[in-house]
Amino acid sequence: MTPHDFLADQFQGHRPHLKAVAYRMLGSLSEAEDAVQEAWLRLARSDSGDIDNLGGWLTTVVGRVCLDMLRARKSRREESLEERLPDPVVSLADAADPEQEVLLADSVGLALLVVLESLSPAERLAFVLHDMFGLPFEQIAPIVDRTPVAAKKLASRARQRVRGAAPNPDPDPADQRRVVDAFLAAARGGDFAALVSILDPDVVLRGDGGTLAGGMKVLRGVAAVAGQLGTFQRMATSATAHPALVNGLAGLVNTLDGRLISVMSFTISDGKISTIDILSDSDRLARLDLTHLEL
């Protein structure tokens, strides 16, 4: 094995972790892959013999790359994830793909990713690297050009904004699935009372149909979300709903004549639906690899 091949093999061992970091930073699977690839290019150009801790070095590099990508996104006023849903990670309930398991560790739901998008790039990096991956502030500080104390303050500010903004999902997958099944039954039957009974009073519905459909639309509260019963019923009676995990939480993949038309993610808190996230943007759906679901 050549030194280059050995280095490539070492890098592949860290790839799932690096993609998990980048996905939480960027909320985009394609951009996360780009960030990981850039880390490999930088590693290949470096003197790897001087790297004592390859995993830590690569995590730092991916963090810097993601920070640059977030700052560029902000400076160009590109469409942010406040105007679109993050890319969903869809899997089967019994999925055993190691990379997906790492990617979805801690069940980083779409609702949490939307909240993370509201943070500044530096706050997001400090929070993701410290709170989600346990990196010390001494390692985070140089990435954001701050002292460790200042980096700790960034993470603290981010933590305060995240706390309570994204609901904590119920931990039992079976309980989550029962509520989603109840939602589907209420939708199919056009049962308004049944739908209201499983919605949290402060439920939030985010629907992203893409730019041609006017971008992401957000509804808040039981009255507004239950008012979409007619839309839910048309979807539930015309499409085929496939149970799936969406970012580790109970969800639905909906197809019509074998064609993917939407991915739905539900956050179930205290037995009620607190958020519903629906991605129906045909362009983004076409980029999802769902072959493992055998739809």
Side-chain angles (χ1 to χ4, degrees):
M1 180 180 288
T2 67
H4 181 275
D5 290 339
F6 176 76
L7 192 62
D9 187 60
Q10 292 284 99
F11 178 80
Q12 287 301 321
H14 293 285
R15 178 181 281 276
H17 164 77
L18 297 176
K19 190 170 181 180
V21 171
Y23 176 60
R24 285 157 177 74
M25 282 293 298
L26 301 167
S28 164
L29 292 169
S30 61
E31 289 184 356
E33 193 60 49
D34 290 343
V36 172
Q37 185 61 24
E38 176 62 24
W40 161 246
L41 293 175
R42 294 189 186 187
L43 176 63
R45 293 194 300 262
S46 69
D47 185 353
S48 58
D50 294 335
I51 301 174
D52 294 327
N53 179 352
L54 182 59
W57 187 90
L58 287 169
T59 300
T60 298
V61 170
V62 165
R64 286 198 175 107
V65 171
C66 291
L67 189 62
D68 289 342
M69 293 171 77
L70 285 175
R71 285 171 172 166
R73 187 192 286 172
K74 297 276 187 183
S75 66
R76 292 197 301 266
R77 296 180 179 271
E78 287 184 354
E79 177 190 64
S80 77
L81 295 188
E82 291 174 286
E83 284 103 32
R84 66 180 179 90
L85 282 176
D87 290 342
V89 178
V90 185
S91 60
L92 295 170
D94 56 354
D97 183 322
E99 182 165 335
Q100 279 204 331
E101 288 179 354
V102 173
L103 197 60
L104 293 175
D106 305 321
S107 292
V108 56
L110 296 184
L112 175 57
L113 287 174
V114 170
V115 175
L116 292 182
E117 182 62 18
S118 69
L119 304 176
S120 73
E123 287 172 340
R124 185 167 184 170
L125 182 136
F127 178 80
V128 167
L129 292 186
H130 181 267
D131 286 48
M132 293 186 170
F133 292 98
L135 264 68
F137 290 114
E138 288 75 16
Q139 188 173 340
I140 296 170
I143 307 176
V144 291
D145 297 321
R146 305 284 212 287
T147 65
V149 172
K152 186 175 182 179
K153 288 181 179 177
L154 285 173
S156 177
R157 276 205 306 269
R159 198 176 303 120
Q160 289 173 4
R161 294 178 65 179
V162 169
R163 187 181 295 125
N168 292 319
D170 291 345
D172 189 338
D175 289 343
Q176 293 180 29
R177 180 56 56 189
R178 277 192 289 272
V179 177
V180 173
D181 288 345
F183 168 86
L184 200 54
R188 284 175 176 153
D191 191 332
F192 185 82
L195 177 60
V196 169
S197 72
I198 56 172
L199 295 177
D200 183 271
D202 298 316
V203 62
V204 176
L205 167 66
R206 288 179 286 259
D208 184 355
T211 53
L212 293 179
M216 187 162 73
K217 296 179 173 62
V218 181
L219 299 175
R220 302 180 187 277
V222 170
V225 175
Q228 299 300 303
L229 179 59
T231 301
F232 296 149
Q233 187 174 30
R234 285 192 295 275
M235 178 277 299
T237 54
S238 62
T240 301
H242 307 266
L245 292 177
V246 181
N247 285 61
L249 302 177
L252 297 170
V253 172
N254 301 304
T255 60
L256 183 61
D257 299 326
R259 178 176 59 88
L260 179 63
I261 60 170
S262 67
V263 173
M264 302 179 70
S265 172
F266 299 81
T267 305
I268 313 300
S269 303
D270 297 326
K272 303 277 189 178
I273 297 174
S274 55
T275 65
I276 305 173
D277 292 300
I278 308 173
L279 178 64
S280 57
D281 181 343
S282 57
D283 289 339
R284 293 179 62 199
L285 290 173
R287 295 196 291 268
L288 293 180
D289 180 10
L290 303 185
T291 54
H292 57 288
L293 296 183
E294 300 179 357
L295 299 177

